[in-house]
Amino acid sequence: MTSVKSLLAKPWIWSFIGALLVWLATIAFTGGYGAGGMVTAALSLAVFTVIVGVGQMFVITLGPGNVDLSLPANIGLASAVAMKVMDGNDSMIAVGLLAALACGAAIGAANYLLIWALRIPPIIATLSASFIIQSIDISYGRGLQIKPPPGFADFANWQILGIPVLAILTVLFTIGAAIALQRMIYGRSVLAIGQNIRAAWLAGVNVGRIRFLTYTLSGALGGIDGALLAGYFRGANVDIGNEYLLASIAVVVIGGTSVAGGKANVPGVWGAALFLVLLLTMLNTFGVSAGVRLLLTGLIIVGVITAAGGQKAPR
Amino acid sequence: MPEGNADIIRLNGAEKHFGAVRALGGVDFHVGPGECVGLVGHNGAGKSTLMHMVAGTLVPDSGKIGVHGDTEDNYSVSRAQQLGIRCVFQELSLCPNLSVAENTRINHASLRGLSWRRKAADLIAAKLDEIFPGHSISASDIVGDLSIGRRQMVEVARAFTVTQDRLDLVILDEPTSSLDAHTAGQLLAFVRRFVAGGKSCILISHVLGEVLRNADRIVVMRDGKVVVADAADAFDRDRLVTAMGGAEARQKIAAQIAAAKPTASPLRVRARPAAQKDSTDLVACAGEIIGLAGLAGHGQTDLLLAIFTAASRARAGIEVTAPVALVAGDRQSDGIFPQWSIAENIGIRSLARLRSGVLISPQREAELAALWQKKIGIRTPDMNNNIFSLSGGNQQKALFARALGSDAQIVLMDDPMRGVDIGTKLEVYDLVREEAARGRTFLWYTTETEELDNCDHIYVFKNGRIVANLRRDELTEEKIIQSSFGDAA
Amino acid sequence: MRPEMTAASLDTAARTSAERGALARARLLRGLLPALSLALVLLAIAWLNPRAISYFGFSLMLNLAIPIALATIAQMFVIAGNELDLSIGTFVGFVGCVTATWLKDAPLIGAVILLGSIGVYALLGALIHLRNLPSIVVTLGMSFVWQGLAILVLPKPGGKAPDWLLGLMAFKPPFIPFPIIAALLIGLIVHFGLMRTSYGVILRGSGGNPAALGRAGWSLLKTKIVLFALAGLFGVLSGMALIGITTSADANIGNGYTLLAIAGVILGGGEFVGGRVSPIGAVIGALTLALAASPLLTFMHIPPDWQVAANGAILIIVLAARVLISRKER
């Protein structure tokens, strides 16, 4: 009984409960048909939201005003870079992945450079950067043969016993991220900065370096996500990352991370990503129109944040 | 009818708690018409909390408030405003993005209509002229562009402006803290005229002479209670200081301080304030406790922060030869991590040493916390409780533990005893001297003169510069005040 | 001890007044920055294509300036209260769809829907204040809601603007092109309302020092509701103006306006926190963006691929200039 209670006290459990309820509602509607397939599909799609969600989570945890709006443009450009470097050639997969990672990390580093040098709010810095990245992508991606090598596409879609391999790898990655958050100097420093940046500085945290690392990390995760997306969907295009701006922020918030900063939650990102993907599946199964789907998604985000409430500033 | 119905305000048995901290424990307080009440006490004695109640910004947990003889059940800021009670708060209440006239408008709901801008400008300009002749502030100046002293002048003048509502009582909470001696004199002269005209004032000030010279009656607070209230001429400086408490602390310290310090210890800090015109340096050696004195906000904190920065990045004019830690005085904005446990709050400065491999070891973190809980006496059943489960004094002890538990050989203290009870203070003083004897260096900025008794050497600051440099045996409160108020030619 | 201080303090007063003069100059320069950037863009256009500087040229180039300026003003009200609206673009799109359908076919119902949507904005303000919610997330969710509603109202691009609206937007006054007159009018009206009226002071104060405002007895709930309702009102005007120009609607028509509006406020000298905004600056910022967005880049032979980048670059350059000026202020 006490274990159930302590489980319910975890902020991330609610997103998993939500995902479960949505899944149950959907299979009740279909009469149990396609229950397993739905989980497989949800896991495959949730992976991409989780990867960028974790990056966004570290950024948001840095405190109010910190957010990475350049993720969609970043994903788009990195997917094009990866596909161009791989050039349909299986032997170039690793190099292509590295290129996407480097491209994303460079974008993240450039974001922080703007924030630091111009002392502008991250929201405007990453926004201006995303305008520029978008243009680079449009002009660079034009006329490219933008198909992944067959080996890479197969890898991105590979399943073992109905479980996508990418999902397993991503679970391992998120476990690493959770450990980094709670047990490494980097994670502790991010949490300290998010609670009180001045106090963190005065307690000896290297604020500039930690913020730089965090934006770079978010960028790098966006880059790798772009490459994987292009592999999974067997092709890159400029708009491939568009839905991940809202999705990355939404999974962080629904997952129980505080928008006020200083309190982060890695498992919640998984729960929220599964919840959002299953919600879309459910609405599609129910056959509602695109308009209703958007409307309900929006209302649920507003509803969740209202229920979670904002943090009152402690006196 | 309650007795003393002519009182402008009367509080009976006012109590207030903030979490585990008792800020006020059953205070009786009143102000009559035509009197200036001086309110003194150390930081954290409860003066500000009491004034917030008088001004209607805080509701007491229990107790009664009566205004003009009638009991007020739903007392609030706007009610206080209607009843003619105003407050100039210590934290500035101006909007920096608005002009002086616009800030005046905020306090006067009746400044409306087409010509409100002119009316507001005339109102504040006239009051500034009356209180601070020759002030050189224009009603169209944006407040954010004004110096801190001018902002305080605007804020004070605004409190005395009258439109629709009556004005009977103005609370001045440290009104002269950012003013130079000339403008402070203008203000106090105005207060005396104001009181002579039948209105009332509550004057809170750290400068005891100001209170003794200007108040009709003095109320002394200590640890959330009123300890003495008497006519001003019944007090002299010594009686005030004794009533405020701390005299016993002073004797204890004097008795404890050992005779001689080791001479010729290695240099730890040499620093010159950015505004210093001559070649005076602040010099601190291993094992020394160095005091930074002077009025609040005259460059002491700036110099501490400059030294803190210089420890990680070379900086002109400042030499630092050992790791540095800082103990914040403003706990909420500079020290506490509100979401964390006491142990995590202590460990943050020492993360690198708490690792085994690349991961932070929870066990080592707990050991560090337990060690310092014992050493500094943090009163809590469990160091894994949230930091806010502690009283203010114990929170401050946790910040000391953070600094003293680290590898820092130089500890900077930014007026860390603000709002801390006397018992905690004495414990921490002992610890500081003990650590200094082991070779640590302390740079201690304090606004409470008696704390300087702990120091080996004192630098007095004024306008961002070191203006005096005293050994402990030369130290007297008069000397510090004299240097703080400057070139007494 | 004190009277002797007079000479010294007079000396201090003289020094600080010199400092204040320097501060005032930096502030003036900063205030002129939006106008300077607009002038620069105009000069560039005049140099690249002198014929564009004409009645007809301006009418064409500033075609979309009115809805952009209105959306920027809407965003400015939200920013004045230290919040941010990430849904203004999809809201403009939603209003556009309602304008092109209900407002034409059943004007009464259309008007009620639009008024109701302003009410929703006011409620959002109340919700954000009462539950202490981050406005970024709430308005992010609302951007889905508005877009969904827009698709429900108008599933396929189409509809038609009401004739009176078409007539209004096609108005051709003598000598000065309509967009310029309209922008001037919008800027002046909002400037008067926010910067000159007695309640405008309270609205700006709520961004400058909310605690002080609360202590002076003002309701912060009310200021937030008013600011959001004003944002809703100007969002509605922006959507209507947009449809008056494009004549038909599309659910995605306003999507770009969220970012344009934020950029416009910042270009116009506004700041994210502290209640420092300028209505006239915001309108100038919007005009700069409207001009820079396409006409200038077309004249400069910048390929369409790079036009978005040019917007980002202009933002960065202006912000960099502002940082340089601010350094002087220190």
Side-chain angles (χ1 to χ4, degrees):
Chain A
M1 205 46 221
T2 48
S3 65
V4 171
K5 230 177 212 165
S6 70
L7 201 62
L8 283 180
K10 304 270 186 214
W12 48 265
I13 194 73
W14 296 103
S15 54
F16 281 98
I17 292 176
L20 185 69
L21 289 178
V22 171
W23 179 68
L24 289 175
T26 318
I27 55 176
F29 183 80
T30 60
Y33 175 76
M38 207 183 305
V39 173
T40 305
L43 279 172
S44 314
L45 284 173
V47 162
F48 304 110
T49 317
V50 169
I51 294 175
V52 280
V54 168
Q56 189 74 272
M57 181 197 77
F58 277 106
V59 171
I60 288 179
T61 304
L62 283 176
N66 283 288
V67 64
D68 186 352
L69 296 185
S70 70
L71 277 174
N74 178 355
I75 292 173
L77 181 60
S79 68
V81 167
M83 292 308 100
K84 185 162 185 185
V85 171
M86 292 181 192
D87 198 23
N89 187 342
D90 277 348
S91 64
M92 293 295 283
I93 292 176
V95 185
L97 279 175
L98 273 180
L101 195 73
C103 168
I107 290 172
N111 278 335
Y112 182 68
L113 200 71
L114 284 177
I115 297 169
W116 172 77
L118 300 187
R119 275 182 265 157
I120 46 182
I123 202 164
I124 276 284
T126 54
L127 178 67
S128 325
S130 85
F131 284 158
I132 294 177
I133 303 162
Q134 220 176 324
S135 280
I136 297 177
D137 187 20
I138 295 172
S139 126
Y140 175 83
R142 175 147 307 178
L144 271 183
Q145 191 255 349
I146 220 108
K147 286 257 171 287
F152 185 55
D154 293 344
F155 166 75
N157 288 282
W158 184 20
Q159 296 175 4
I160 297 175
L161 303 173
I163 301 172
V165 172
L166 266 190
I168 298 170
L169 293 175
T170 309
V171 168
L172 292 177
F173 159 71
T174 43
I175 290 172
I179 292 174
L181 181 70
Q182 295 300 341
R183 298 280 302 279
M184 282 171 66
I185 293 185
Y186 168 72
R188 283 287 181 93
S189 304
V190 170
L191 292 171
I193 292 171
Q195 291 174 63
N196 186 339
I197 188 166
R198 190 174 155 85
W201 172 58
L202 292 174
V205 173
N206 191 333
V207 174
R209 200 181 68 187
I210 298 293
R211 291 183 77 198
F212 171 77
L213 282 176
T214 305
Y215 278 92
T216 310
L217 173 74
S218 171
L221 289 174
I224 204 84
D225 205 44
L228 293 174
L229 272 169
Y232 183 78
F233 288 110
R234 296 176 199 277
N237 66 63
V238 176
D239 298 326
I240 199 164
N242 278 6
E243 64 177 285
Y244 291 99
L245 173 58
L246 298 174
S248 67
I249 300 176
V251 292
V252 172
V253 176
I254 296 176
T257 293
S258 159
V259 193
K263 203 172 108 200
N265 195 314
V266 179
V269 173
W270 260 110
L274 286 172
F275 172 68
L276 281 187
V277 172
L278 285 168
L279 183 73
L280 280 186
T281 318
M282 178 180 84
L283 295 175
N284 281 333
T285 315
F286 290 178
V288 303
S289 69
V292 177
R293 208 169 61 217
L294 284 166
L295 181 65
L296 286 176
T297 313
L299 287 178
I300 284 167
I301 292 177
V302 175
V304 167
I305 182 73
T306 307
Q311 267 72 26
K312 285 267 178 282
R315 38 163 288 118
Chain B
M1 284 298 269
E3 120 187 60
N5 57 3
D7 285 341
I8 291 173
I9 187 149
R10 175 173 282 275
L11 279 84
N12 284 326
E15 266 189 58
K16 186 77 194 174
H17 292 257
F18 295 116
V21 187
R22 190 195 66 177
L24 274 191
V27 168
D28 298 332
F29 179 79
H30 73 279
V31 181
E35 73 168 344
C36 176
V37 177
L39 184 60
V40 297
H42 287 298
N43 291 326
K47 295 169 297 184
S48 288
T49 311
L50 180 65
M51 288 307 104
H52 273 289
M53 284 177 187
V54 173
T57 39
L58 270 183
V59 181
D61 297 338
S62 63
K64 277 206 185 95
I65 298 182
V67 182
H68 300 305
D70 303 319
T71 304
E72 294 289 330
D73 291 326
N74 291 310
Y75 194 58
S76 67
V77 199
S78 37
R79 184 81 186 127
Q81 177 90 14
Q82 278 170 15
L83 294 169
I85 296 173
R86 313 272 181 82
C87 185
V88 179
F89 289 101
Q90 227 170 325
E91 62 268 43
L92 291 165
S93 307
L94 299 172
C95 295
N97 59 330
L98 303 181
S99 73
V100 172
E102 287 170 338
N103 268 292
T104 311
R105 143 75 183 146
I106 283 177
N107 278 27
H108 293 284
S110 61
L111 284 175
R112 287 202 306 242
L114 284 177
S115 57
W116 73 268
R117 289 171 72 82
R118 198 176 37 75
K119 277 191 274 182
D122 292 349
L123 187 67
I124 189 74
K127 198 48 85 177
L128 277 167
D129 289 343
E130 187 183 348
I131 305 177
F132 304 105
H135 53 78
S136 82
I137 298 170
S138 153
S140 59
D141 283 346
I142 302 293
V143 165
D145 291 348
L146 297 177
S147 69
I148 180 101
R150 286 196 162 78
R151 283 188 223 179
Q152 194 163 28
M153 288 157 74
V154 171
E155 178 135 25
V156 167
R158 183 177 71 166
F160 285 99
T161 53
V162 183
T163 47
Q164 224 172 25
D165 295 325
R166 57 194 289 183
L167 175 61
D168 296 299
L169 169 67
V170 177
I171 303 163
L172 297 165
D173 189 355
E174 298 286 354
T176 58
S177 59
S178 307
L179 301 184
D180 61 44
H182 175 63
T183 38
Q186 289 180 326
L187 171 60
L188 293 169
F190 173 79
V191 167
R192 285 194 298 271
R193 293 204 299 276
F194 184 69
V195 173
K199 308 292 186 187
S200 307
C201 255
I202 300 174
L203 178 63
I204 303 176
S205 178
H206 255 98
V207 186
L208 296 181
E210 260 177 16
V211 179
L212 282 166
R213 279 195 299 274
N214 295 289
D216 302 310
R217 194 157 59 81
I218 297 181
V219 175
V220 183
M221 290 189 73
R222 186 159 124 196
D223 296 336
K225 289 200 163 127
V226 170
V227 284
V228 195
D230 208 342
D233 36 22
F235 285 97
D236 57 14
R237 170 175 232 95
D238 288 340
R239 186 174 168 211
L240 265 188
V241 171
T242 316
M244 285 160 70
E248 60 267 52
R250 198 159 198 169
Q251 282 153 8
K252 188 161 177 261
I253 292 161
Q256 279 181 355
I257 288 172
K261 285 271 167 189
T263 47
S265 50
L267 176 81
R268 284 279 170 71
V269 179
R270 178 189 297 279
R272 186 177 302 168
Q276 195 76 26
K277 295 236 171 81
D278 54 21
S279 59
T280 311
D281 280 333
L282 178 146
V283 179
C285 297
E288 279 189 323
I289 305 176
I290 304 293
L292 283 71
L295 294 178
H298 274 256
Q300 299 95 332
T301 302
D302 295 338
L303 187 65
L304 289 184
L305 292 181
I307 293 171
F308 183 80
T309 316
S312 54
R313 197 166 16 158
R315 208 177 146 130
I318 297 179
E319 192 184 336
V320 181
T321 62
V324 169
L326 183 135
V327 183
D330 187 340
R331 287 192 296 277
Q332 307 317 332
S333 79
D334 295 354
I336 297 280
F337 296 104
Q339 316 237 5
W340 276 352
S341 71
I342 307 161
E344 284 171 312
N345 263 289
I346 293 176
I348 177 74
R349 177 64 182 74
S350 310
L351 290 179
R353 284 192 302 127
L354 297 177
R355 282 182 305 181
S356 58
V358 289
L359 298 184
I360 296 165
S361 152
Q363 193 198 342
R364 285 200 203 174
E365 191 171 28
E367 281 166 11
L368 178 79
L371 173 72
W372 282 92
Q373 175 178 21
K374 208 168 133 216
K375 212 160 171 181
I376 205 168
I378 297 173
R379 294 190 231 313
T380 175
D382 186 352
M383 292 295 275
N384 291 319
N385 286 346
N386 182 276
I387 184 85
F388 278 128
S389 66
L390 297 178
S391 69
N394 278 300
Q395 287 174 24
Q396 194 64 45
K397 283 183 184 171
L399 295 188
F400 269 102
R402 181 193 290 170
L404 297 177
S406 75
D407 60 354
Q409 284 303 307
I410 304 167
V411 178
L412 311 175
M413 304 201 283
D414 182 18
D415 202 5
M417 299 302 184
R418 281 180 234 173
V420 169
D421 59 285
I422 187 80
T424 303
K425 282 181 183 174
L426 291 176
E427 286 171 17
V428 175
Y429 296 160
D430 287 344
L431 193 67
V432 165
R433 281 197 309 275
E434 200 177 296
E435 290 289 320
R438 288 197 193 144
R440 273 190 156 143
T441 305
F442 290 85
L443 297 186
W444 188 347
Y445 162 42
T446 173
T447 47
E448 300 194 12
T449 317
E450 13 338 321
E451 291 191 339
L452 295 171
D453 288 341
N454 290 294
C455 301
D456 301 311
H457 212 112
I458 291 112
Y459 293 88
V460 185
F461 282 67
K462 177 171 182 272
N463 290 334
R465 292 196 277 274
I466 297 172
V467 291
N469 175 353
L470 309 168
R471 286 193 315 276
R472 186 179 46 230
D473 48 12
E474 302 171 317
L475 171 72
T476 59
E477 189 160 7
E478 284 66 38
K479 259 196 175 147
I480 291 176
I481 290 179
Q482 199 175 340
S483 337
S484 306
F485 286 111
D487 8 77
Chain C
M1 186 161 64
R2 279 185 168 166
E4 291 88 345
M5 285 295 299
T6 322
S9 61
L10 282 182
D11 179 42
T12 328
R15 203 184 62 238
T16 48
S17 86
E19 274 168 19
R20 251 191 314 161
L23 251 169
R25 270 195 303 281
R27 172 175 292 279
L28 186 71
L29 194 60
R30 220 179 129 143
L32 284 178
L33 198 60
L36 282 176
S37 16
L38 179 62
L40 216 65
V41 170
L42 280 175
L43 274 177
I45 291 177
W47 182 60
L48 290 165
N49 189 347
R51 272 182 306 166
I53 307 297
S54 64
Y55 184 95
F56 182 70
F58 274 117
S59 309
L60 206 65
M61 287 191 298
L62 289 171
N63 189 12
L64 288 174
I66 300 175
I68 294 178
L70 288 165
T72 305
I73 292 287
Q75 186 68 264
M76 185 204 69
F77 280 117
V78 178
I79 289 179
N82 295 347
E83 307 286 355
L84 201 61
D85 183 5
L86 294 184
S87 66
I88 191 72
T90 54
F91 180 66
V92 167
F94 162 75
V95 171
C97 290
V98 173
T99 307
T101 51
W102 288 100
L103 200 60
K104 180 169 169 66
D105 305 331
L108 198 64
I109 300 177
V112 169
I113 294 177
L114 292 180
L115 284 177
S117 67
I118 296 177
V120 171
Y121 253 85
L123 280 177
L124 282 181
L127 187 72
I128 286 170
H129 178 80
L130 291 175
R131 299 280 298 160
N132 195 18
L133 302 178
S135 57
I136 296 186
V137 183
V138 175
T139 54
L140 200 64
M142 286 310 292
S143 73
F144 283 90
V145 172
W146 296 123
Q147 176 127 45
L149 288 174
I151 293 176
L152 290 177
V153 171
L154 193 70
K156 288 204 181 74
K160 191 160 186 318
D163 295 328
W164 58 269
L165 192 57
L166 288 172
L168 178 68
M169 296 309 291
F171 177 54
K172 286 205 173 20
F175 310 120
I176 306 172
F178 181 57
I180 296 183
I181 294 182
L184 222 63
L185 220 59
I186 296 166
L188 288 176
I189 290 174
V190 179
H191 179 83
F192 177 78
L194 190 63
M195 312 301 279
R196 291 277 152 171
T197 63
S198 54
Y199 196 68
V201 169
I202 306 304
L203 290 178
R204 283 183 291 136
S206 76
N209 188 345
L213 216 67
R215 274 206 293 251
W218 298 96
S219 158
L220 292 171
L221 174 65
K222 189 177 156 198
T223 56
K224 194 128 284 178
I225 289 178
V226 170
L227 285 171
F228 270 80
L230 283 167
L233 171 68
F234 278 85
V236 165
L237 294 177
S238 169
M240 287 171 60
L242 179 60
I243 299 309
I245 295 164
T246 60
T247 70
S248 71
D250 162 2
N252 295 314
I253 196 166
N255 286 6
Y257 278 33
T258 302
L259 303 183
L260 271 182
I262 298 176
V265 175
I266 301 301
L267 270 183
E271 284 173 27
F272 277 115
V273 285
R276 290 194 168 93
V277 293
S278 153
I280 292 182
V283 169
I284 292 179
L287 290 182
T288 312
L289 283 174
L291 278 177
S294 63
L296 175 61
L297 305 170
T298 318
F299 294 144
M300 284 174 77
H301 307 290
I302 290 181
D305 289 359
W306 291 95
Q307 294 191 352
V308 196
N311 267 337
I314 289 174
L315 253 182
I316 292 174
I317 291 167
V318 172
L319 290 170
R322 198 194 286 183
V323 169
L324 283 177
I325 294 172
S326 302
R327 285 227 174 108
K328 251 187 232 160
E329 270 181 59
R330 297 270 143 225

